Amino acid sequence: MKNRKTPQQRPAIGLSALSAAALATALLLPAQASADELNVVATTSSLGALAREIGGDETRVRVLAAPDRDAHYLDARPSFMAALRNADLLLELGAGLEEGWLPAATRGASNPAINEGQPGHFYAAGKVDLRRSITQDGPNMGHVHEEGNPHFNVDPLRMAEVGLALGERLAELDSANADVYRERAEETAQRLREHAEDLAGELAPDQNIVVYHEDLDYLEEWLPATVVGYLEPAPGIPPTGRHLQSLVGELEDMDGHVLYAEFQPPRGAEFLERELGWDSHAVPLDPPQDAGLDGYLELMETWASTFRTR
């Protein structure tokens, strides 16, 4: 008799079971909703910003390379492989930028949907005309950047073209939302172009810059700037005293700015600042890892602000 349930107890047990079932259902609903999203993996945060803006709530975006790291020199980490294994779309900047680690990460992911030539693989460098790389001429010919300079993420005008192409690719993968992706892509491209024009119009014309590597030289594509030298004697070779002295001799009758990425060593820039009186600036090459389009637009303002210093 003592194990028998009373009539008063039975409804309480029923309510408890119903509550547990309701909780289980509630926990499952977000997972079910997210299954309808496109899982996008971008190699850099500049591409990630485009994907978040154009993909909106219909996508879930993961960025592999931290913006404070040189995307040339990363390792194919297991976390990269795990992200790529579940990706519907891989966004690669391309032109050799990620060649040291992305092929290995993609092989480790074993996801045929994102292999080259598949709709799930988006090769951004193939959507724009690249600047000719300095490694394509002279003694460094063919050693690095054989397709051209891959750092076009520093040029919002080229990123606008990439955004339009990305809108088309998302529309192909998710036809139910095709018009939404295309509309967002058009709006994104317009915002990038207008912001670039506004910033360029605020600056004095004909400014000179020295950059560390052939990355920030894409600034001269949309700002009133001319690259007159590189801190590296050759791409990938750290600045030498002899090379820096030769730059001083070439530039001593000129005014300008020295720019380098935050992850690049400052010694060469500081030397030119002392010897020439030029201002030097360490700047990011990409927006924060979780940034959307606003983060990229703010980065454009950071780049432009270096030209307001005299």
Side-chain angles (χ1 to χ4, degrees):
M1 288 289 294
K2 72 176 182 178
N3 292 326
R4 184 176 176 179
K5 307 299 182 187
T6 66
Q8 290 79 9
Q9 290 174 311
R10 282 197 292 269
I13 293 173
L15 287 174
S16 177
L18 287 172
S19 299
L23 177 59
T25 301
L27 291 173
L28 287 173
L29 284 176
Q32 182 63 40
S34 66
D36 296 330
E37 297 172 340
L38 285 176
N39 190 7
V40 179
V41 176
T43 57
T44 70
S45 56
S46 291
L47 288 176
L50 285 183
R52 290 188 180 97
E53 186 70 17
I54 299 168
D57 292 338
E58 289 73 37
T59 59
R60 181 174 47 210
V61 180
R62 162 80 184 271
V63 171
L64 298 181
D68 61 351
R69 298 284 305 279
D70 189 341
H72 282 300
Y73 306 111
L74 300 180
D75 296 321
R77 299 165 54 185
S79 60
F80 291 1
M81 298 176 192
L84 292 168
R85 188 171 298 120
N86 298 313
D88 298 305
L89 179 62
L90 165 62
L91 309 182
E92 175 186 359
L93 211 64
L97 182 72
E98 306 100 332
E99 67 182 357
W101 55 274
L102 186 59
T106 305
R107 286 193 301 270
S110 300
N111 180 358
I114 61 170
N115 288 344
E116 291 185 22
Q118 297 301 312
H121 184 259
F122 183 86
Y123 192 76
K127 314 302 179 187
V128 295
D129 293 327
L130 302 180
R131 283 175 64 101
R132 185 169 180 82
S133 171
I134 60 176
T135 65
Q136 293 176 278
D137 300 299
N140 301 301
M141 184 171 57
H143 291 179
V144 185
H145 300 170
E146 295 178 359
E147 297 176 52
N149 186 332
H151 300 284
F152 56 90
N153 58 292
V154 181
D155 178 10
L157 304 181
R158 284 178 170 84
M159 292 298 282
E161 295 301 314
V162 171
L164 292 172
L166 178 57
E168 289 298 323
R169 182 62 58 86
L170 291 170
E172 178 183 348
L173 294 174
D174 179 14
S175 59
N177 295 297
D179 291 342
V180 175
Y181 295 132
R182 292 188 176 109
E183 182 178 354
R184 289 188 192 135
E186 291 285 353
E187 292 172 353
T188 297
Q190 182 176 355
R191 289 183 66 190
L192 287 167
R193 290 165 178 159
E194 289 178 352
H195 200 48
E197 183 178 1
D198 290 344
L199 289 173
E202 296 171 359
L203 303 178
D206 304 323
Q207 300 197 50
N208 301 310
I209 57 173
V210 168
V211 296
Y212 188 96
H213 179 70
E214 59 168 354
D215 39 32
L216 289 162
D217 51 0
Y218 266 103
L219 292 175
E220 73 174 6
E221 297 288 306
W222 61 282
L223 292 175
T226 301
V227 176
V228 293
Y230 297 89
L231 293 176
E232 292 179 324
I237 306 299
T240 62
R242 180 177 181 179
H243 174 66
L244 293 174
Q245 288 287 359
S246 71
L247 280 177
V248 170
E250 294 168 9
L251 304 173
E252 58 185 352
D253 294 327
M254 302 167 63
D255 293 322
H257 318 274
V258 187
L259 278 65
Y260 59 102
E262 289 180 331
F263 53 77
Q264 292 164 345
R267 186 177 67 87
E270 292 170 350
F271 179 83
L272 291 191
E273 187 172 21
R274 290 194 304 271
E275 296 296 318
L276 295 173
W278 291 24
D279 51 273
S280 65
H281 306 270
V283 298
L285 293 185
D286 286 286
Q289 196 151 2
D290 59 351
L293 182 63
D294 286 344
Y296 185 86
L297 297 177
E298 290 172 7
L299 179 57
M300 290 171 59
E301 294 173 9
T302 297
W303 293 329
S305 69
T306 63
F307 294 86
R308 298 190 180 101
T309 308
R310 273 299 192 186

